[in-house]
Amino acid sequence: MKDSYAQIVNSSVGKKVAGALGLPQPVELRRYAPGQDLLNDRKVLVVGGQSADGLAETLLDWNLEVRRHPESRTRYGAIIADFTDAATPADLQNGALAVGAALRSLGTCGRVIVLGRSTDHEDDESSPELVATQKAVEGFMRSLAHEMRKGSTCNLLKLAPELGPEHESVQGPLKFLLSARSAYISGQPLSVDPAKPHTVEADAPVDGKVAVVTGAARGIGEAIVRRLHDDGAELILVDVPAAGEALSKVANSVNGVALQLDITQKDAGSKIAETARKHFGHLDIVIHNAGITRDKMLANMDENKWGSVLAVNLASQLAMNRQLLDSGALGPNPRVVSLASTSGIAGNRGQTNYGASKAGIIGMVSAMAVDFAQAGGTVNAVAPGFIETEMTKAMPTVTREVARRLNSLQQGGKPEDVAQAVGFLASNAAAGINGQTLRVCGQSMVGA
């Protein structure tokens, strides 16, 4: 869907008018293309103490030019601030101000990555000073993300206590957040735990994996299918029989297997497992994308509108996950990714049923993280914000324009942005991320 406003304000005349009137000036985001450089500019500023030395060496191995102190007249593609050693509030000042001194040198669609510590492990006996300090790091990141300009983003990786910034488990998430694959993700924290080392090909991160995508016939589901296909996966595409023609068309275009299936059937997970065994022998990746909306104010909500949304969006996923775990069809490192929504985080008027179902997904991935870890895998969720789809195209013009601008990047995301996040969490690069929900919303002003 075309964003006419963004096109106008990016013209030579439009820039002047928008600047004079103080109007939003969204920048065209740099999005992923095969073979592209990791960053627009290979110069990276790494701020931090001795703990960042190993990270600097890793970045050099990625063919990046590393600076350890801000330099005048230097354009940076990224700034990485290491606060993993910060234990008291006083430990934050030097690093924060060093980032501030370099911000004006950050290039268009640049990246700021903040590294901190996770302090919520069950066996963690962190002091109140450490917990407060590391929570302050998160607050610093979220606020700084609101200050980003020119299409740049800012995100946080919270490392488990035993992980150094250079650890192999950190490299996959760090590379994703630095890359153009994360174009519409900003202001978001991700916790990283130790994981079994995996080799991941940058342009084919799920090469040779077998994936199933529900709700695959159109929209975000189709975008996920095409992303996983381009990234090397073999595919099973699932949708309801009523979408059979569209489903077959998409499946044929990616040499995939089309499975017409109502996911609310009690044995839907078993049928998916059976199909995977028949065609591929096993299943590595499960993407729960299928969902419906039946919007009404709660005072006007009936049993069908409530029950159908909870059945499709939430209960079906719980049942399928259990059946897939019990089926024996899952590979040795299964990855499950569910589509949640910012409506499940912040709520939305007229969507008590939908908001409940999407909040339930966030709870589900958190609760089932142990089950999938025991199976050698992970389960996570992606929560999109305003994404340019046929559904948002049908919104009233003024409502749509306001929704587009209510985020730090001042524009709507694309289905491809959601697909990139799903693809990352489905890959072995995200092996250290489990039970979490990643928002793809440009740091929406709505919700946490």
Side-chain angles (χ1 to χ4, degrees):
M1 182 168 54
K2 184 171 68 174
D3 187 345
S4 299
Y5 172 85
Q7 292 180 338
I8 291 171
V9 298
N10 279 310
S11 67
S12 56
V13 175
K15 285 181 181 179
K16 294 179 181 178
V17 173
L21 297 178
L23 298 174
Q25 294 180 268
V27 169
E28 183 177 356
L29 302 181
R30 178 180 184 252
R31 289 184 165 90
Y32 171 77
Q36 72 183 172
D37 290 337
L38 184 61
L39 295 167
N40 257 342
D41 193 302
R42 292 191 297 114
K43 297 182 181 65
V44 178
L45 174 64
V46 178
V47 174
Q50 289 184 346
S51 63
D53 290 343
L55 173 61
E57 292 181 8
T58 297
L59 297 175
L60 290 171
D61 290 339
W62 294 354
N63 199 31
L64 298 173
E65 298 178 20
V66 178
R67 306 290 189 272
R68 293 291 271 117
H69 302 282
E71 299 175 353
S72 59
R73 295 186 296 278
T74 298
R75 181 68 62 186
Y76 299 112
I79 300 170
I80 301 177
D82 178 15
F83 292 101
T84 56
D85 285 343
T88 70
D91 296 334
L92 303 178
Q93 179 172 302
N94 290 342
L97 296 183
V99 172
L103 277 180
R104 289 187 177 87
S105 299
L106 187 65
T108 300
C109 296
R111 297 287 185 264
V112 176
I113 310 295
V114 178
L115 303 179
R117 285 289 176 205
S118 175
T119 58
D120 55 3
H121 289 70
E122 290 184 4
D123 57 350
D124 192 11
E125 297 181 359
S126 302
S127 69
E129 288 79 9
L130 176 60
V131 174
T133 299
Q134 289 299 325
K135 193 64 178 177
V137 170
E138 184 171 335
F140 165 75
M141 177 278 298
R142 290 189 187 275
S143 296
L144 180 57
H146 286 299
E147 298 181 12
M148 293 292 99
R149 296 292 181 266
K150 300 180 295 184
S152 296
T153 62
C154 177
N155 293 286
L156 168 66
L157 293 177
K158 299 163 63 177
L159 312 188
E162 62 268 43
L163 296 183
E166 76 288 349
H167 194 278
E168 195 166 6
S169 298
V170 182
Q171 292 182 22
L174 178 61
K175 188 170 285 188
F176 170 72
L177 291 176
L178 287 173
S179 76
R181 290 181 183 268
S182 64
Y184 200 59
I185 298 172
S186 192
Q188 303 308 308
L190 275 177
S191 296
V192 182
D193 289 320
K196 179 181 176 181
H198 294 281
T199 299
V200 179
E201 171 60 41
D203 288 327
V206 292
D207 188 38
K209 301 293 184 180
V210 179
V212 61
V213 181
T214 68
R218 58 180 61 86
I220 290 175
E222 180 182 353
I224 293 170
V225 165
R226 298 194 183 283
R227 171 45 46 206
L228 293 176
H229 173 259
D230 289 348
D231 285 348
E234 301 280 357
L235 286 149
I236 300 169
L237 292 74
V238 177
D239 218 314
V240 293
E245 184 177 347
L247 181 67
S248 295
K249 184 177 180 180
V250 178
N252 290 336
S253 71
V254 297
N255 297 316
V257 175
L259 175 61
Q260 296 183 26
L261 177 67
D262 180 350
I263 60 170
T264 63
Q265 291 182 14
K266 291 183 179 179
D267 61 348
S270 298
K271 287 186 175 180
I272 290 172
E274 179 183 343
T275 302
R277 280 200 195 94
K278 176 182 177 181
H279 290 275
F280 304 104
H282 69 285
L283 183 62
D284 301 298
I285 297 168
V286 180
I287 310 300
H288 292 299
N289 168 72
I292 61 172
T293 56
R294 298 291 185 268
D295 296 352
K296 279 288 183 180
M297 300 293 283
L298 184 59
N300 301 318
M301 185 79 66
D302 60 29
E303 183 177 300
N304 178 61
K305 287 185 173 61
W306 179 273
S308 61
V309 169
L310 271 292
V312 173
N313 295 4
L314 181 58
S316 67
Q317 293 190 25
L318 285 160
M320 284 189 286
N321 283 346
R322 289 296 185 197
Q323 290 168 22
L324 288 168
L325 281 169
D326 293 340
S327 70
L330 295 178
N333 304 116
R335 305 275 179 249
V336 177
V337 185
S338 293
L339 268 291
S341 169
T342 53
S343 293
I345 297 172
N348 200 17
R349 179 182 171 89
Q351 287 194 321
T352 52
N353 51 357
Y354 184 77
S357 71
K358 294 301 184 178
I361 287 172
I362 294 170
M364 177 190 71
V365 301
S366 176
M368 299 195 80
V370 172
D371 294 324
F372 279 95
Q374 290 173 346
T378 62
V379 56
N380 294 287
V382 168
F386 184 92
I387 305 297
E388 305 280 2
T389 63
E390 289 300 313
M391 184 175 68
T392 55
K393 185 178 181 180
M395 295 170 65
T397 302
V398 174
T399 303
R400 184 172 64 245
E401 279 303 312
V402 171
R404 276 173 168 159
R405 311 306 161 203
L406 281 178
N407 62 75
S408 294
L409 294 173
Q410 301 180 328
Q411 60 192 285
K414 297 183 178 182
E416 170 67 4
D417 296 322
V418 181
Q420 290 287 6
V422 170
F424 162 65
L425 291 173
S427 75
N428 285 334
I433 297 171
N434 193 16
Q436 298 183 58
T437 298
L438 176 61
R439 287 177 55 167
V440 184
C441 62
Q443 198 184 23
S444 174
M445 308 299 180
V446 177

